[in-house]
Amino acid sequence: MIRIALTKGRIEKKAVEILARAGYDISELEDKGRKLVFRLGEADIEVVLAKAADVITYIEHGVCDVGIVGEDTIMEHGKHFHELLDLNFGKCKFALAGIKGRDFYEGYTHKIIASKYPNVTKNYFNSKGIDVEIVKIEGSVELAPILGLSDAIVDIVETGSTLKENGLEVYEDVAYISTRLIVNTASIKLKKREIDELVSRISAEIE
Ligand code: PRP
């Protein structure tokens, strides 16, 4: 048996579509109610729905074999697993953004950056050799510069409409991201045949 940890929400819908195209029976996932564990019909595969950061925890602890998760979460939480496929959906970017029309680098004062992704933010500014103060925010990070808490944010930009509707703009692109298929380091050897089959069926359906 192999167990897939699937990020619930935006990624889930597209991932379930790919599983269906790859020939798996996704009927339990279509009518899921509040259930969290599902079988893919007769295939010896179980799917669990989890929050993105927890997908990584389950893979790293070996209680799930295969994970489907955004590269944003991978960049924030580390990489003690194999990354096998770029699923080529959920494409967006990390960007440094702030109040429209301002020069982020103006002046000599220490900058404050708000983000849901403190590690991504720290790594980005370290790579530029700039020391910043990072404030962790849990959601709607766009509020931080509007309220005057921070000089800028590091956040995900997909369509750009959240920034635009709040008077903000991208100052710099930080990294392009997409959804990835990851595998536990032991499972890749111990369940090679099952994982190879799943990966080849999924990779044939990547757009
Ligand atoms: C994400 C992200 C931005 C928004 C970007 O937030 O943090 O706020 O989507 O999308 P856009 O460029 O298409 O407008 P999410 O909707 O996940 O909510 P959250 O801020 O509450 O985490």
Side-chain angles (χ1 to χ4, degrees):
M1 199 265 284
I2 51 177
R3 193 180 284 136
I4 302 175
L6 173 52
T7 305
K8 57 183 172 185
R10 292 186 209 203
I11 284 178
E12 174 188 337
K13 190 164 172 274
K14 198 85 190 166
V16 170
E17 272 173 39
I18 291 185
L19 287 170
R21 287 205 306 273
Y24 295 104
D25 176 356
I26 48 117
S27 49
E28 284 196 16
L29 280 154
E30 282 177 318
D31 181 24
K32 59 182 165 48
R34 296 287 298 163
K35 265 182 75 173
L36 297 169
V37 182
F38 309 88
R39 294 294 292 218
L40 293 184
E42 296 301 305
D44 213 5
I45 299 175
E46 202 167 74
V47 175
V48 304
L49 294 179
K51 284 196 120 182
D54 299 335
V55 167
I56 291 186
T57 303
Y58 295 141
I59 296 300
E60 287 185 340
H61 284 78
V63 295
C64 294
D65 305 295
V66 174
I68 297 179
V69 66
E71 203 181 358
D72 53 326
T73 311
I74 296 174
M75 285 173 70
E76 182 64 19
H77 293 273
K79 270 196 178 171
H80 301 289
F81 46 76
H82 291 281
E83 204 179 298
L84 286 197
L85 288 177
D86 178 350
L87 296 174
N88 205 34
F89 69 86
K91 287 193 194 176
C92 46
K93 65 182 179 186
F94 272 126
L96 176 71
I99 305 284
K100 193 169 190 254
R102 284 201 192 150
D103 176 4
F104 175 73
Y105 292 102
E106 195 183 21
Y108 295 99
T109 55
H110 196 73
K111 304 292 179 193
I112 301 173
I113 312 296
S115 186
K116 273 188 287 191
Y117 300 88
N119 293 324
V120 171
T121 306
K122 186 172 72 195
N123 293 337
Y124 180 62
F125 283 101
N126 278 350
S127 75
K128 293 168 81 78
I130 298 173
D131 190 26
V132 296
E133 182 186 337
I134 298 165
V135 181
K136 171 92 194 288
I137 297 289
E138 296 298 332
S140 301
V141 185
E142 293 84 358
L143 277 172
I146 295 170
L147 298 178
L149 174 68
S150 73
D151 297 293
I153 61 175
V154 167
D155 197 22
I156 288 170
V157 178
E158 193 176 355
T159 61
S161 53
T162 310
L163 292 180
K164 195 159 178 243
E165 288 182 31
N166 290 291
L168 308 176
E169 68 178 355
V170 169
Y171 296 151
E172 288 171 10
D173 290 346
V174 171
Y176 282 85
I177 56 194
S178 61
T179 307
R180 303 295 164 123
L181 184 139
I182 62 175
V183 180
N184 170 269
T185 48
S187 305
I188 210 163
K189 297 185 195 103
L190 298 173
K191 301 185 181 180
K192 186 174 183 322
R193 193 183 49 78
E194 295 98 315
I195 288 171
D196 281 352
E197 190 196 335
L198 176 76
V199 166
S200 75
R201 283 170 72 166
I202 287 179
S203 50
E205 300 304 328
I206 297 172
E207 283 159 8

